[in-house]
Amino acid sequence: MTILITGATGQFGGAVVRYVLDRTDEQVIVSVRSPEKFTLEGVEVRQGDFDRPETLDFRGVDKLLIVSADAHDSAVRIQQHANAIAKAKDHGVGHVFYTSVTDADTSTLSVAEVHKAAEEAIRATGLTFTFLRNGMYHENYLDTLAQDVVATSTKDGRVASAPRDDLALAAAVALTTDGHENAVYELTGSTSWSFPEVAGEKFRDVSDEDLIAAGMPPFVVDFFAAIREGVLAEVRPDLEKLIGRPSRPIAV
């Protein structure tokens, strides 16, 4: 059995590699844009760039984890994923795992279009797949919560986020165990939280317009609006089932 993981020099992908190595003696390969940045021993390193599909080498791979790209431009990300997916098909990969987003096919989040397109492209290949629909990372919010004044437009909307590390462990479990063929996992934290609840007296309720005027990036304001509207509030059981315990709650 050969497992290949892309994006292994990133925080998520790197954590997945470490967990996989802890869990299996099977061959582990990484595909990374800059091989010199990958320093773990005992792993085959292949240079591969989603922007240059001719560099992607997925030959001989039984299980492939495509860690979603992080380009800011949605059209670029969609093409990057399409390149990797096409190469997986060309090279006869046995099982494709893809890190998606919560409710990718129905979500109103602006980022969902990227993941919906990738899921559709994977289904169209006819390859066996597993969609790891990761919810929000705790880490996305820690800088905001650490400020002296926590100003958001979320009101009392809740977030069922989870630590990046727990989501990486879930991916590693799926890669190293049987029974995940054509599965879709909605991976959220075991509990939800709100900004007023966690920030306490530091919380300030402001408008989207206030945040934009203060220079906050529009995509962050979009996420705050989604939280306010309850888009990210639902707690699902899949993460807890995969890792065998409740996810760790947010702490600041």
Side-chain angles (χ1 to χ4, degrees):
M1 179 70 69
T2 300
I3 299 169
L4 188 148
I5 299 163
T6 73
T9 53
Q11 291 179 307
F12 179 84
V16 175
V17 174
R18 290 189 291 273
Y19 277 125
V20 167
L21 290 173
D22 285 343
R23 294 179 55 84
T24 185
D25 294 325
E26 303 288 357
Q27 183 182 12
V28 178
I29 305 170
V30 298
S31 176
V32 294
R33 185 179 300 168
S34 303
E36 69 278 5
K37 294 181 180 179
F38 187 83
T39 57
L40 282 178
E41 296 183 359
V43 178
E44 179 184 336
V45 181
R46 298 180 183 178
Q47 196 280 332
D49 186 339
F50 283 8
D51 288 317
R52 298 167 56 223
E54 70 276 8
T55 69
L56 297 174
D57 183 1
F58 300 149
R59 288 172 295 182
V61 172
D62 298 297
K63 294 181 178 182
L64 166 66
L65 174 63
I66 298 177
V67 176
S68 54
D70 59 2
H72 291 300
D73 186 286
S74 293
V76 171
R77 291 181 76 190
I78 288 171
Q79 186 59 57
Q80 289 173 329
H81 296 153
N83 291 342
I85 293 161
K87 192 62 68 171
K89 173 67 172 178
D90 290 345
H91 288 171
V93 169
H95 189 155
V96 176
F97 297 72
Y98 172 73
T99 59
S100 190
V101 73
T102 304
D103 298 317
D105 50 347
T106 59
S107 176
T108 58
L109 288 174
S110 58
V111 299
E113 67 168 329
V114 170
H115 299 290
K116 181 180 180 181
E119 289 188 5
E120 289 175 347
I122 291 169
R123 288 182 186 274
T125 65
L127 297 173
T128 301
F129 65 84
T130 301
F131 297 148
L132 302 163
R133 289 181 171 176
N134 289 342
M136 299 299 106
Y137 298 163
H138 287 343
E139 289 81 359
N140 293 347
Y141 307 106
L142 294 182
D143 286 346
T144 298
L145 288 166
Q147 294 175 4
D148 293 335
V149 175
V150 179
T152 79
S153 58
T154 57
K155 298 191 180 299
D156 60 355
R158 304 188 70 80
V159 189
S161 62
R164 180 191 292 113
D165 199 63
D166 283 354
L167 292 164
L169 174 57
V173 170
L175 285 165
T176 57
T177 57
D178 297 327
H180 309 289
E181 292 81 3
N182 300 331
V184 179
Y185 294 122
E186 299 286 354
L187 303 172
T188 73
S190 299
T191 59
S192 65
W193 58 275
S194 71
F195 276 91
E197 182 178 272
V198 176
E201 294 181 355
K202 297 194 301 179
F203 179 74
R204 299 291 183 275
D205 179 22
V206 298
S207 69
D208 291 343
E209 292 73 23
D210 290 334
L211 295 173
I212 292 171
M216 183 167 285
F219 78 91
V220 177
V221 178
D222 286 346
F223 272 105
F224 283 165
I227 293 169
R228 184 175 68 242
E229 294 161 5
V231 173
L232 300 172
E234 186 175 353
V235 173
R236 315 288 182 87
D238 291 347
L239 177 59
E240 193 167 316
K241 288 179 179 178
L242 281 172
I243 66 176
R245 59 167 172 78
S247 66
R248 289 178 288 113
I250 196 165
V252 295

